[in-house]
Amino acid sequence: MQLLSVVSLSLILCTVSIVGSEASEFQVVAVLGQADFTSERANRGGSKPAANSLYYPTGLASDGEGGLWVADVHNNRVLHFQKDAENADKFYGQADFKSNSSNRGGSTPAANTLWYPIGIASDGEGGFLVADQGSHRVLHFQKDAENADKVYGQANFVSGEAHQGGSTPAANTLHTPAGIAIDGEGGFWVTDSWNHRVLHFQKDAENADKVYGQANFVSGQANRGGSPAANTLWYPIDLVSDSEGGFWVADYYNHRVVHFQKDAENADKFLGQANLVSGQADRGGSAAANTLEHPARIASDGEEGFWVADQFNHRVLHFATTQQPAVLLHQQKLKLPRRLRLQLRGTHQGVSVSSSVSC
């Protein structure tokens, strides 16, 4: 099994200062997973995790009450932190805060285990959905529940094989799910990454009712066995819903972000390429405001735009409106996976901006 995930740090939050003719300043107010802002070792350098440590955190979701769920990937757990708390108050996927074995050390999954949880999304009702990537499933946990109450992609809570042990995908199977987005109607989309598709599940449904990137539910080839098109995907890794029932998806190996309207088979908008039939990194050249190389994560800006983690260009781009040039957040210096210190320069609405970032 091949697992692909985005670069993360054991230190979640960063300090960002921006100066320019329109000066503004942001100051970090909290750090989770470390004792201070200058520490960086996984699990605080210990051999075991704790309620205040992290190891490769990736997915984040607000609980709607000021707290936060964190997909703590290499500790094979999800943690919940209340607002302003240094220590997590809840854990999911493990028996206690000091354990981190995949599937609690067992050979099979269960309703209370996780293996490489990566994507996470609030359900809007106090619970959350998590892409349990190593067990090829999505689990739903109600608020404060130790055991998941729903499973998608598997026939039961104790199965964990890709395609439920079969050789081809189906409407009720997954292979390395990564990103999750809520549809606003009780259902959700999930990037079924190694089946090169996005599936939509209605609330409580065992089978997906919609597929994007493939011609049907039993196909799973990258770009449908050909080259990129408006109806193909190649390792979709993350997605975000829009306000009109559609979604944007980071199409990782096609080096683009594409938009699908609700119920549409073909994407209607694209970013990172000149058209919907191109798929080269940086459009075959070097990085620019309209290119991407392995977009890995995508997040809403709360105002119809979104941010894209342009992974191999070591930068984050902000797209304010559809198919307009990105507001450049360009990283001149990068050091991974150690502590990041970034020098940033760019423009926003014609204003020259320089930035320094420490993470």
Side-chain angles (χ1 to χ4, degrees):
M1 178 181 64
Q2 183 175 357
L3 300 178
L4 179 65
S5 60
V6 300
V7 176
S8 301
L9 299 174
S10 296
L11 178 63
I12 287 183
L13 296 178
C14 300
T15 301
V16 181
S17 297
I18 301 177
V19 293
S21 57
E22 292 182 355
S24 61
E25 186 170 329
F26 300 88
Q27 182 63 46
V28 67
V29 296
V31 60
L32 301 176
Q34 300 292 351
D36 51 52
F37 294 113
T38 60
S39 301
E40 59 186 19
R41 299 181 68 186
N43 288 330
R44 297 194 176 197
S47 60
K48 293 182 179 181
N52 61 357
S53 74
L54 295 167
Y55 188 1
Y56 209 84
T58 299
L60 303 173
S62 169
D63 66 1
E65 298 176 353
L68 184 73
W69 288 290
V70 181
D72 190 13
V73 177
H74 284 315
N75 282 326
N76 299 296
R77 64 185 185 176
V78 170
L79 295 182
H80 178 267
F81 291 87
Q82 291 185 351
K83 184 179 180 180
D84 300 329
E86 178 184 351
N87 289 2
D89 64 326
K90 301 181 187 116
F91 55 85
Y92 306 82
Q94 298 293 345
D96 52 53
F97 283 113
K98 296 181 180 180
S99 303
N100 67 353
S101 298
S102 60
N103 291 330
R104 294 194 179 192
S107 58
T108 59
N112 61 355
T113 72
L114 293 168
W115 181 13
Y116 213 86
I118 182 169
I120 190 167
S122 169
D123 67 2
E125 298 176 353
F128 64 89
L129 290 152
V130 58
D132 189 18
Q133 193 172 76
S135 292
H136 308 285
R137 63 185 185 174
V138 171
L139 295 179
H140 177 267
F141 287 87
Q142 292 183 350
K143 184 177 181 180
D144 301 331
E146 178 183 353
N147 291 359
D149 65 327
K150 295 169 192 159
V151 60
Y152 304 85
Q154 298 292 349
N156 50 55
F157 286 109
V158 296
S159 301
E161 291 185 278
H163 300 150
Q164 296 190 16
S167 59
T168 58
N172 62 348
T173 72
L174 295 167
H175 189 345
T176 320
I180 300 175
I182 304 301
D183 68 3
E185 298 177 353
F188 67 94
W189 295 281
V190 56
T191 57
D192 189 16
S193 298
W194 276 119
N195 283 324
H196 312 289
R197 65 184 185 175
V198 170
L199 294 180
H200 178 268
F201 288 86
Q202 293 184 353
K203 186 177 182 179
D204 301 332
E206 177 183 351
N207 290 359
D209 64 328
K210 300 182 186 107
V211 60
Y212 305 83
Q214 299 291 350
N216 50 54
F217 286 109
V218 296
S219 300
Q221 288 184 292
N223 288 329
R224 298 194 181 192
S227 55
N231 60 357
T232 74
L233 295 167
W234 187 1
Y235 203 91
I237 193 170
D238 198 22
L239 73 171
V240 63
S241 58
D242 65 19
S243 61
E244 298 178 352
F247 62 89
W248 291 90
V249 57
D251 191 13
Y252 191 80
Y253 284 117
N254 282 326
H255 310 289
R256 65 184 185 176
V257 173
V258 291
H259 177 266
F260 288 87
Q261 293 182 353
K262 184 178 182 180
D263 302 331
E265 177 183 355
N266 291 356
D268 63 327
K269 299 169 188 170
F270 56 91
L271 298 163
Q273 299 291 348
N275 50 56
L276 281 165
V277 296
S278 301
Q280 288 183 292
D282 290 327
R283 299 193 181 192
S286 56
N290 61 355
T291 72
L292 295 167
E293 185 172 1
H294 297 297
R297 283 293 176 197
I298 184 169
S300 171
D301 68 359
E303 298 180 352
E304 299 300 323
F306 52 87
W307 298 89
V308 176
D310 189 17
Q311 192 175 63
F312 278 34
N313 283 324
H314 310 294
R315 63 184 185 175
V316 173
L317 296 178
H318 178 243
F319 294 91
T321 56
T322 304
Q323 289 190 339
Q324 294 298 316
V327 175
L328 184 59
L329 188 60
H330 186 16
Q331 303 177 0
Q332 301 293 341
K333 298 180 180 180
L334 183 67
K335 186 180 180 182
L336 290 173
R338 310 292 292 175
R339 188 168 182 264
L340 271 71
R341 301 191 64 84
L342 313 177
Q343 299 296 319
L344 317 176
R345 295 183 178 85
T347 59
H348 178 56
Q349 298 179 346
V351 178
S352 177
V353 177
S354 63
S355 314
S356 64
V357 178
S358 298
C359 297

